[in-house]
Amino acid sequence: MKKILLIHTGGTFGMVPTEPHHSLAPAQVQDHILNMVPEVTRLAEIDVVTPFNKDSANVGVQEWELLSRLIYDQWSGYDGFVVIHGTDTMTYTAAALSFSLRHLDKPIIFTGSQRPLSLSRSDARLNLIDAIELATLNLHEVLIVFNQKIFRGNRTKKISIKSYDAFDSPNFPPLGEIGVTIDFDYARMLDSQGPLQFVPGFNPNLAVIVIQPSLAPDYFAELVQKKLGALILLGFGSGNIPFPRPDWVQLIREAVSYGTQVFIGSQSIKGKVDLNLYECGQQALQAGAHSLKEMTLEAAYVKLSKILYGTQDRQEIVRAFYDNWAGEI
């Protein structure tokens, strides 16, 4: 029987109602899960650890590093890993593990739920069963399994706060679906390319600005002067930004003059950012900006955090950003 390490990090999944106000509090995770879903013990031998128990809004670079090191240290002892995580920032953490742990020869499966395991109509039971079964298979990447869909972790976005169909992979098809059988798109899945590599560290010395019509870039002058390692601007459509009134191109020039690398994404969920299509994008390119291409904001933010931990060299930042580390491009 395969041996799986189940890592509980908090979120809705493991909460239980408490009196008198029916608020949610952490359960005794291992007993709670095994009592509520005893059939998982027929799928694998399961060990449970809880390195932290947090609302996922409070999960960031320290927790990404902790999880990466935990899995790296336990790699040889298990056949696969399942991470129970709050849905709000699951995509960030999944991307972080995909960039920290390279050349996987085992699966790391993220899941969670929109409704606690302890409540009726919960999606937690099925998500957990699916995740543990996937963790026993010969897979080689960080995946998110939710509502019987299988996604590459660093290609995924949360799209709903109320539906059980909470995640989507807008610019990359799902890698599989779970029904009577588990069907994979093996042609798109990653293969193991060598021994596991652990790449430590994150440096979130970057910022994200969501551009709105008529929003003056002057409001962000002090931010630009802080000499960020990178700045992500979310424009419109294929990456268009307002120019010449208000003049966001000038903000790009100022940021670049301070040594900040500027990347432009889109507020549209689907499609590839192409700064060559329109004049405003071309002006941004000439000012020194770069495109996020089809990368999700979550993956781009985490990847830049990883890059900035290792280098402050402007050319190296861009070169590393466009390297395909774990299928994110």
Side-chain angles (χ1 to χ4, degrees):
M1 181 174 282
K2 296 289 183 74
K3 190 173 182 180
I4 303 301
L5 182 61
L6 180 61
I7 304 170
H8 181 266
T9 68
T12 299
F13 184 101
M15 299 297 188
V16 292
T18 58
E19 299 294 345
H21 302 298
H22 302 285
S23 61
L24 296 174
Q28 295 297 318
V29 177
Q30 181 164 352
D31 291 342
H32 182 59
I33 290 174
L34 297 183
N35 287 336
M36 298 291 292
V37 198
E39 56 265 46
V40 297
T41 59
R42 296 197 296 268
L43 297 173
E45 180 183 345
I46 299 171
D47 291 336
V48 181
V49 295
T50 305
F52 53 86
N53 196 332
K54 295 184 177 183
D55 187 304
S56 69
N58 294 319
V59 175
V61 294
Q62 292 182 343
E63 289 76 22
W64 301 343
E65 185 74 2
L66 189 158
L67 284 175
S68 299
R69 289 184 180 275
L70 170 64
I71 293 175
Y72 180 75
D73 289 342
Q74 299 294 329
W75 194 254
S76 63
Y78 294 91
D79 298 295
F81 300 83
V82 171
V83 182
I84 296 173
H85 197 287
T87 59
D88 288 350
T89 64
M90 184 188 295
T91 56
Y92 288 91
T93 306
L97 265 61
S98 77
F99 299 147
S100 293
L101 299 168
R102 315 254 186 99
H103 312 307
L104 304 184
D105 60 0
K106 302 172 185 178
I108 300 173
I109 312 296
F110 275 77
T111 196
S113 67
Q114 294 283 67
R115 190 170 169 84
L117 178 61
S118 57
L119 298 184
S120 62
R121 295 189 298 101
S122 174
D123 55 332
R125 168 185 290 272
L126 188 56
N127 285 344
L128 179 63
I129 293 170
D130 288 344
I132 289 176
E133 185 165 4
L134 287 184
T136 67
L137 303 181
N138 185 29
L139 306 173
H140 307 129
E141 54 180 296
V142 178
L143 301 170
I144 289 175
V145 59
F146 214 92
N147 198 38
Q148 301 204 290
K149 294 180 181 178
I150 305 165
F151 303 103
R152 177 165 296 157
N154 58 35
R155 288 280 199 158
T156 310
K157 296 185 73 72
K158 184 176 179 180
I159 60 168
S160 176
I161 60 175
K162 62 178 291 187
S163 171
Y164 288 156
D165 200 18
F167 291 92
D168 193 14
S169 180
N171 290 322
F172 189 77
L175 290 172
E177 293 189 359
I178 303 171
V180 175
T181 60
I182 302 176
D183 299 317
F184 291 106
D185 185 352
Y186 285 107
R188 293 181 178 272
M189 300 191 76
L190 299 179
D191 290 326
S192 179
Q193 298 178 345
L196 177 68
Q197 180 186 9
F198 175 45
V199 182
F202 297 93
N203 176 18
N205 181 31
L206 67 153
V208 179
I209 297 175
V210 182
I211 296 175
Q212 303 297 332
S214 299
L215 177 65
D218 297 349
Y219 291 123
F220 304 98
E222 290 187 9
L223 176 65
V224 168
Q225 294 168 12
K226 292 183 180 297
K227 300 183 179 180
L228 299 168
L231 175 66
I232 298 175
L233 301 178
L234 290 185
F236 310 112
S238 62
N240 299 321
I241 61 173
F243 169 83
R245 290 189 300 272
D247 190 356
W248 282 88
V249 172
Q250 179 58 33
L251 183 82
I252 294 172
R253 293 193 188 99
E254 291 177 7
V256 171
S257 73
Y258 282 108
T260 300
Q261 285 290 15
V262 179
F263 293 85
I264 296 180
S266 176
Q267 294 170 48
S268 299
I269 294 177
K270 294 185 177 181
K272 179 179 180 179
V273 174
D274 186 349
L275 300 180
N276 286 301
L277 284 180
Y278 299 99
E279 181 185 2
C280 51
Q282 295 168 5
Q283 291 288 337
L285 276 174
Q286 293 174 15
H290 307 279
S291 166
L292 291 190
K293 296 189 175 181
E294 77 277 15
M295 202 178 302
T296 66
L297 171 64
E298 294 90 336
Y301 179 88
V302 176
K303 189 173 185 179
L304 284 169
S305 297
K306 176 67 71 177
I307 293 169
L308 292 172
Y309 181 83
T311 183
Q312 301 297 314
D313 180 85
R314 291 171 60 180
Q315 292 184 339
E316 178 61 19
I317 291 169
V318 176
R319 186 204 64 76
F321 185 76
Y322 290 127
D323 277 350
N324 188 15
W325 289 355
E328 74 278 6
I329 297 177

